[in-house]
Amino acid sequence: GESVGLHLPTLSVQEGDNSIINCAYSNSASDYFIWYKQESGKGPQFIIDIRSNMDKRQGQRVTVLLNKTVKHLSLQIAATQPGDSAVYFCAETPMDSSYKLIFGSGTRLLVRP
Amino acid sequence: GAVVSQHPSRVICKSGTSVKIECRSLDFQATTMFWYRQFPKQSLMLMATSNEGSKATYEQGVEKDKFLINHASLTLSTLTVTSAHPEDSSFYICSARPPGRGSNQPQHFGDGTRLSIL
């Protein structure tokens, strides 16, 4: 039978505003973290990554912040656009895990025009 | 660069049919590819790690006789869902890591295969 899916947390923002998406990761031994964007019916698309020896990394319109003390990761999107509407997943790679990715539960971002 | 192609994008078939899904790395060689499964409104769950030239490594709870993985070349891994039943209906996604840079290299994903078993 069909699975009953979890209800994804949703962040609704006005076009042009900044968005902050948060993620709590599970493994204190993880040393590499990635944010992915998934649009409906498609595979995840790489956005930005960060290693555990850093606490901030910037890309084009995106910034990732890593707080290892509380095992927290955030993705900041500046000047959010309608095309940013998607589900965003954080993913972690534990050390010595043969490059496996462990995905977070995801956040749906809705951008209001 | 780092393009991963998955085929077919959608399959609808009768219960009991076996279905093969292909995952190709188009512009790089991948000794390791990964297969995930995603139910509606849920996250991606790793099913298995596909290793070129050797047996796949399955995650706990994934039946290796049900989900056959073959990684016969550096650019192609296949997942065969054998004797599929309605509960196997899901979104199957593959990924691959471009070589180099140690563990700090993002996986790149295909666009998934929507499998519907009637």
Side-chain angles (χ1 to χ4, degrees):
Chain A
E2 189 175 302
S3 303
V4 176
L6 299 171
H7 183 72
L8 281 173
T10 299
L11 174 65
S12 180
V13 300
Q14 190 71 39
E15 181 180 356
D17 287 351
N18 296 335
S19 303
I20 300 176
I21 300 171
N22 296 303
C23 175
Y25 63 92
S26 57
N27 193 328
S28 56
S30 292
D31 61 351
Y32 180 54
F33 305 88
I34 311 170
W35 279 101
Y36 284 97
K37 172 186 179 183
Q38 187 179 28
E39 296 174 324
S40 181
K42 294 189 174 181
Q45 176 187 356
F46 170 79
I47 302 175
I48 192 167
D49 58 359
I50 189 168
R51 303 176 196 175
S52 59
N53 63 351
M54 303 170 69
D55 52 22
K56 180 179 179 178
R57 191 164 186 226
Q58 288 184 289
Q60 187 177 15
R61 278 204 309 123
V62 294
T63 301
V64 54
L65 298 177
L66 174 63
N67 185 330
K68 294 182 290 294
T69 303
V70 294
K71 292 191 287 186
H72 184 268
L73 198 65
S74 69
L75 176 70
Q76 301 177 2
I77 304 174
T80 313
Q81 301 169 359
D84 295 327
S85 294
V87 177
Y88 289 81
F89 292 99
C90 66
E92 60 183 301
T93 298
M95 247 186 287
D96 301 326
S97 67
S98 301
Y99 314 130
K100 288 183 188 178
L101 278 180
I102 300 171
F103 278 81
S105 56
T107 298
R108 181 178 302 282
L109 176 65
L110 292 177
V111 181
R112 303 188 304 273
Chain B
V3 176
V4 176
S5 174
Q6 198 169 331
H7 179 81
S9 58
R10 177 148 195 148
V11 180
I12 301 173
C13 57
K14 294 181 180 179
S15 185
T17 307
S18 291
V19 178
K20 181 186 280 189
I21 303 170
E22 294 185 347
C23 180
R24 294 181 185 272
S25 56
L26 296 187
D27 53 358
F28 64 96
Q29 293 183 330
T31 55
T32 305
M33 292 184 176
F34 303 88
W35 288 97
Y36 296 81
R37 183 172 179 173
Q38 185 178 32
F39 290 109
K41 296 184 180 179
Q42 292 191 24
S43 189
L44 283 76
M45 295 298 295
L46 180 65
M47 298 175 65
T49 303
S50 173
N51 303 300
E52 188 268 335
S54 64
K55 290 182 180 180
T57 306
Y58 291 82
E59 294 302 298
Q60 192 171 10
V62 178
E63 300 176 56
K64 56 185 175 184
D65 294 332
K66 173 77 173 177
F67 299 100
L68 300 179
I69 291 172
N70 184 279
H71 194 152
S73 80
L74 287 170
T75 59
L76 174 65
S77 174
T78 61
L79 169 69
T80 301
V81 184
T82 61
S83 187
H85 292 284
E87 59 266 29
D88 297 321
S89 298
S90 189
F91 193 49
Y92 292 87
I93 313 173
C94 71
S95 72
R97 288 180 69 254
R101 291 172 54 191
S103 63
N104 297 329
Q105 181 76 284
Q107 292 180 22
H108 293 267
F109 288 81
D111 267 342
T113 297
R114 175 75 58 194
L115 177 61
S116 300
I117 308 297
L118 305 177

